[in-house]
Amino acid sequence: MDESAEVYRKILNYLYLSLSKTAGKLPFSGRYWLEEVTRGVGQQVLQEFGEGIELQAGHPAAICKSYLSILDRAGILDAGDYRLEEEGENVFVTLERERCVYQDFCQGAGEEGLFFYCPRLGALQAALKQALGVEYSTSVEIDAGAGTCRGRIFPAKLRLKTETVTREGELLKIAGERAVLFTKEMYAFILLAIKDYAPHIMKAVLFDAGYRSSRIIAGYAKQNYADPLDALASLFGEFRNVGLGTAELVSLDPGEGHAVIRCYHSMEVTIAREYPLYRTPRVVCDMLRGKFSAYLSVILERPIICEELKCASMGDDCCEFHAFPSDQEGVVW
Amino acid sequence: MSTLAYFGVEGLDRIISQGMVYGSQIMVHGDTGIGKTVLAGEFIKEGLRCGDVCIYVACDEPPDVMRRHLGGFKVGTRAYEEAGRLVFVDAYEEEASPEKYHIADQHNLDKYFALERELVKRFEGRRIRLVVDSLSTLFTPLDSTEVMEFHRTRLKYLRKHGILALDVFVDGVLDGRVMTVASHLYNVIVRMKFGASENRPVRILQVGKVRSGKFSAAPYMFGISPVFGIILAPESEV
């Protein structure tokens, strides 16, 4: 590689590293946008250089091979460096790391704990979408000892709603639906108004709001993840995305319908500490209780109710929720 | 840790705005069907939310009735029972009770008191709410001297151990003299009764605080919602 090409290669890697750092700072959708950028570059290359190339529908590995040959002919890479294997719906791509133009980005992102999407795999992902009309996603495993990386391209799971926040004209949208951002003051004043006008409904309102609003997204998670642990992990990701706190599954027994969940930095605790909502110290996370109850009820396909047994508002280091089936104890929904 | 406690009924808690200290005794008495057990359920819910250990002694119905009652208000009792925060004592099924804690002979006050002390000892150092629903049932066949002697000893013990106790009495079960003497032993008295006309009865509640020398005779109307429990608006006196 001549000196100017090496400079451009470095700049390209700096650009991706910078994008990844910026994506990590976005309150919403950072991971989504980084993936969009890497895939978008691939689409652009395909449009520019792909004229006359036949992408064979139904054979993902062959489609990837055709795409690499486009780049080879354009002098961008050597297609012979890439080993392609197809297993079921997955395409595995193996490459020696020193032959990869994006190795600095890959290594830097790993060292700094940044979001990472392999630009090369993103381009293949775009080619597969164009040929098959199917959304794909990617992951990469590095074998540092062997000096190789092994990428996997696989049909994408549906994203949960809150991963994609966009602004369309004057409107803020989450997954295409009109959305609004509240400051904590706005939320707190709604609660204070409820407390002033109808204090007896406060707990029930919070629980029900959490429960009802979480059933739909829990349904999406269940559709996309057969394993309850994966489904809960995706929901906890959404929970963190929207700023409710950081949820952690301590234990889950699907057969017994029993779970223990912890939540750190609960938004409801912050509100209760700053606004005079209650006379005495108490567990305050009723909306979260409703959300966790809905998650577990949908995923385990039976009515589950969570109770908050520890709460950070009472001096504990986190909030802790214990869930049991409610069909055995007459809880009315 | 706060040493003040409330019933968990917003309107009622506004009436006793200064709260109750642990170690207080509350007498709730009233007509049959007026909502004494509903109030007891609210008191337990409040205790569970505040981190207390709640002990419910079921004398008039099996403990499962209170479990279902709390479930109706979306309280998952099993989580609290497994954590040792909610304890049911069966003083109703005298034989073959499925409960861990039960009383074989509900009119044997010595045995009852022994169990109560065992539970207090078990949770020593914790804030405890104790509800007996209804204490008048335990007293029914006993003579007034026996009742008063037991009652005085028991309340003294509970006060000494900082137990927040709520005893339910059904009006008309015990004779007037026993009720009058017994009521003097409580810090807070809640009277619940039906009022107005037969055609349009209303539920009425009065709070009295004998010990502090303040007795508010103001009657307040209240309602019972299947979703929200007891609803009382103290600004609308009868």
Side-chain angles (χ1 to χ4, degrees), chain B:
Chain B
M1 191 185 282
S2 167
T3 51
L4 291 178
Y6 292 87
F7 284 94
V9 175
E10 178 61 28
L12 183 51
D13 292 344
R14 258 190 276 166
I15 296 169
I16 54 150
S17 57
Q18 66 274 48
M20 300 172 285
V21 293
Y22 284 79
S24 299
Q25 282 89 44
I26 306 154
M27 172 192 246
V28 174
H29 72 96
D31 300 338
T32 300
I34 189 68
K36 299 179 295 297
T37 298
V38 180
L39 180 60
E42 301 276 12
F43 183 75
I44 288 172
K45 275 196 287 175
E46 172 76 358
L48 295 174
R49 306 288 190 225
C50 293
D52 299 356
V53 171
C54 296
I55 301 167
Y56 180 77
V57 183
C59 305
D60 299 346
E61 292 171 309
D64 258 354
V65 174
M66 177 52 85
R67 282 194 185 95
R68 282 198 298 274
H69 173 76
L70 292 171
F73 292 103
K74 296 192 172 78
V75 177
T77 52
R78 191 169 158 198
Y80 292 108
E81 288 189 71
E82 299 253 346
R85 292 267 314 281
L86 176 59
V87 176
F88 288 98
V89 177
D90 189 347
Y92 177 77
E93 297 284 0
E94 294 190 309
E95 288 174 11
S97 169
E99 302 292 333
K100 181 178 177 187
Y101 296 103
H102 59 274
I103 299 161
D105 174 6
Q106 72 168 199
H107 300 305
N108 186 329
L109 294 181
D110 289 337
K111 280 190 180 170
Y112 170 74
F113 194 25
L115 176 60
E116 206 171 71
R117 280 180 305 197
E118 181 194 326
L119 287 168
V120 168
K121 197 172 175 189
R122 184 184 156 195
F123 297 108
E124 206 163 9
R126 308 277 302 275
R127 287 191 322 210
I128 299 174
R129 288 183 183 221
L130 170 68
V131 175
V132 184
D133 184 8
S134 62
L135 195 60
S136 49
T137 300
L138 295 185
F139 290 167
T140 310
L142 307 172
D143 68 58
S144 57
T145 313
E146 202 178 352
V147 166
M148 291 321 302
E149 194 180 337
F150 163 78
H151 201 44
R152 206 168 276 124
T153 309
R154 172 179 173 264
L155 289 186
K156 212 182 283 181
Y157 173 83
L158 295 177
R159 187 169 301 131
K160 188 179 166 192
H161 287 81
I163 311 302
L164 184 64
L166 186 151
D167 292 332
V168 175
F169 289 81
V170 182
D171 279 354
V173 172
L174 301 175
D175 73 47
R177 189 180 144 271
V178 171
M179 282 296 283
T180 305
V181 176
S183 67
H184 279 280
L185 299 173
Y186 289 89
N187 305 90
V188 178
I189 297 173
V190 178
R191 181 185 182 200
M192 303 166 85
K193 62 177 183 179
F194 289 108
S197 68
E198 278 184 18
N199 294 334
R200 196 172 175 280
V202 292
R203 289 183 156 96
I204 293 170
L205 182 148
Q206 286 173 284
V207 179
K209 285 190 254 169
V210 178
R211 294 243 145 186
S212 64
K214 287 190 283 180
F215 183 86
S216 163
Y220 301 99
M221 277 198 291
F222 72 98
I224 298 176
S225 154
V227 178
F228 305 116
I230 292 181
I231 301 173
L232 184 149
E235 57 274 13
S236 55
E237 285 183 29
V238 174

Side-chain angles (χ1 to χ4, degrees), chain A residues 13-285:
Chain A
N13 279 272
Y14 293 153
L15 183 65
Y16 270 110
L17 271 172
S18 177
L19 274 172
S20 181
K21 278 180 189 163
T22 306
K25 289 176 190 162
L26 295 176
F28 304 103
S29 325
R31 194 180 287 274
Y32 167 78
W33 289 120
L34 186 64
E35 191 174 8
E36 281 296 291
V37 168
T38 54
R39 195 169 53 174
V41 172
Q43 275 172 335
Q44 199 64 43
V45 171
L46 201 58
Q47 281 172 13
E48 186 81 22
F49 301 100
E51 203 175 327
I53 292 293
E54 189 185 342
L55 297 176
Q56 298 166 34
H59 298 280
I63 293 164
C64 292
K65 197 173 177 184
S66 299
Y67 179 77
L68 291 172
S69 69
I70 296 172
L71 300 189
D72 194 335
R73 276 201 294 279
I76 296 172
L77 53 74
D78 182 347
D81 291 339
Y82 294 81
R83 195 170 81 241
L84 297 168
E85 298 160 282
E86 195 169 307
E87 279 181 27
E89 294 178 305
N90 301 295
V91 178
F92 289 96
V93 184
T94 310
L95 174 71
E96 283 187 23
R97 295 194 79 193
E98 62 177 25
R99 300 289 296 157
C100 179
V101 73
Y102 300 111
Q103 59 181 288
D104 294 349
F105 169 42
C106 177
Q107 192 173 334
E111 285 169 2
E112 294 184 46
L114 304 174
F115 290 153
F116 176 72
Y117 282 101
C118 172
R120 186 66 73 225
L121 293 182
L124 294 173
Q125 184 185 347
L128 287 170
K129 189 187 175 187
Q130 179 169 311
L132 303 175
V134 175
E135 289 283 356
Y136 277 78
S137 196
T138 64
S139 65
V140 178
E141 286 174 17
I142 309 290
D143 185 340
T148 59
C149 67
R150 189 169 193 246
R152 175 175 161 245
I153 311 171
F154 53 95
K157 304 278 186 191
L158 283 178
R159 290 185 181 85
L160 294 184
K161 286 174 72 168
T162 53
E163 283 187 50
T164 48
V165 179
T166 54
R167 185 172 288 285
E168 295 174 22
E170 299 299 312
L171 305 182
L172 184 70
K173 294 194 171 181
I174 297 177
E177 287 180 32
R178 177 83 186 263
V180 63
L181 286 176
F182 276 171
T183 60
K184 110 182 156 237
E185 281 75 19
M186 179 67 190
Y187 180 80
F189 284 123
I190 291 175
L191 297 190
L192 288 169
I194 293 174
K195 183 188 170 229
D196 287 346
Y197 295 116
H200 57 281
I201 72 170
M202 175 93 90
K203 294 187 83 63
V205 163
L206 287 171
F207 179 89
D208 278 6
Y211 188 86
R212 293 182 197 185
S213 65
S214 300
R215 283 189 63 85
I216 295 170
I217 196 158
Y220 287 136
K222 184 166 175 55
Q223 269 175 25
N224 285 288
Y225 299 96
D227 185 336
L229 290 174
D230 291 340
L232 275 175
S234 73
L235 288 167
F236 287 175
E238 181 266 351
F239 183 88
R240 189 183 59 245
N241 270 356
V242 297
L244 291 168
T246 305
E248 170 191 280
L249 184 66
V250 177
S251 65
L252 175 69
D253 183 340
E256 289 294 312
H258 174 49
V260 177
I261 296 169
R262 287 194 184 131
C263 178
Y264 297 87
H265 316 298
S266 157
M267 178 272 295
E268 291 190 279
V269 169
T270 303
I271 304 269
R273 279 179 179 153
E274 294 181 25
Y275 296 88
L277 288 168
Y278 303 103
R279 285 189 177 81
T280 49
R282 63 188 54 231
V283 296
V284 297
C285 305

